[in-house]
Amino acid sequence: MTLLSAAGLGLVIGVVLGGLGGGGAILTVPALVYLLGQSPQDATTSSLIIVGLTAVVGAAGHARAGTVRWRTGLTFGVTGIVAAFAGTVANRHVPPHVLLYGFAALMIVAAAAMLLQTARRRPAIEPAVESGGARGPAGSVDVARKAAPTRGKTATKIIIAGLAVGFLTGFLGVGGGFVIVPALVLALDLPMSAAVGTSLVIIAINSATSLAARAGGDPVDWATTAPFAIAAMAASLGGRRLAARVPEAIATRAFAVLVLLVAGYTIANTVISS
């Protein structure tokens, strides 16, 4: 029964992570604790393995489809590693219930911002159409002058977003996928498909780093973790294909609704526990 339950839950997590690029870690830990009986500490380690491996498989599929921004993902991930240590130190000085309320508040803000973004977004005008391609060398110089500061601003946004997500990941004690996708969409203005693919690269980096930090700790419950991870990896490919057939605005709203649901559960569970 444990094997079947773990595999079934893995299928759900894989579809979520492969299709939406986030939310998997938020759902994995409660599933391991409340449905499969692991302790919170063991569930956190198992979740890193499950989500990390699933993110690698999902990222490979997105890479083949050309929906991974590698420079953004690697910069975001490496920057986040540094900030995550600072967030972890800050985490030790805040009561658990305050962290949970902060976690829920952050999810609500991110979801609301994404819903507003989908409502306001308009189709972009192609530069070639706007310029008409007939301005000659002078127009080319103007475009080049404008491109340099734009690249600088983009790099700055990536670093700032990476630091913010890394700190929040360490401070709130979660994988960060639910924060990464909104950050990529809102701060860097990536389309949802590219944000999902790139977020999987970032999640894989963060998971590998966290697992390395836990090396030598308690043994992993492989009887539960292995079938969960295998099913999640297989389902992540299906999640990517499903997302490719869904319009970007619908996928963004679906992710926002998922974040709101988890936020509501977090608030309710914290109030009851308190």
Side-chain angles (χ1 to χ4, degrees), residues 1 6 18 42 49 67 93 106 120 161 195 201 215 224 227 237 240 254 268 274:
M1 287 300 295
D42 292 342
I49 295 171
T67 54
H93 298 86
L106 176 64
R120 294 175 179 175
V201 174
T224 299
L237 299 176
R240 184 184 65 81
S274 300

Side-chain angles (χ1 to χ4, degrees), residues 10-226:
L11 292 174
V12 175
I13 298 302
V15 169
V16 172
L17 195 61
L20 298 178
I26 313 174
L27 302 175
T28 300
V29 172
L32 289 168
V33 172
Y34 298 117
L35 301 178
L36 298 177
Q38 287 194 359
S39 68
Q41 292 78 10
D42 292 342
T44 302
T45 302
S46 295
S47 176
L48 288 171
I49 295 171
I50 294 164
V51 174
L53 290 174
T54 306
V56 169
V57 173
H62 278 275
R64 288 193 294 271
T67 54
V68 174
R69 304 287 176 86
W70 289 104
R71 183 178 299 177
T72 299
L74 294 175
T75 303
F76 205 120
V78 172
T79 304
I81 290 172
V82 177
F85 285 101
T88 301
V89 173
N91 170 275
R92 296 168 183 163
H93 298 86
V94 177
H97 69 278
V98 174
L99 287 175
L100 289 172
Y101 285 130
F103 172 78
L106 176 64
M107 287 192 290
I108 292 172
V109 171
M114 292 191 75
L115 290 172
L116 287 174
Q117 182 78 355
T118 59
R120 294 175 179 175
R121 180 167 289 182
R122 295 290 184 271
I125 299 175
E126 292 294 334
V129 174
E130 196 173 31
S131 64
R135 295 190 178 183
S140 301
V141 171
D142 290 340
V143 170
R145 287 175 179 172
K146 292 178 181 179
T150 299
R151 285 193 294 268
K153 289 179 181 178
T154 299
T156 301
K157 286 181 179 181
I158 293 172
I159 293 172
I160 293 174
L163 289 171
V165 170
F167 180 84
L168 289 172
T169 299
F171 182 64
L172 296 176
V174 294
F178 71 97
V179 179
I180 296 170
V181 172
L184 292 173
V185 172
L186 300 175
L188 304 181
D189 200 30
L190 292 186
M192 188 64 177
S193 58
V196 170
T198 306
S199 74
L200 291 171
V201 174
I202 299 168
I203 292 170
I205 293 172
N206 289 339
S207 297
T209 303
S210 299
L211 281 172
R214 293 166 183 258
D218 294 333
V220 176
D221 178 11
W222 289 109
T224 299
T225 304

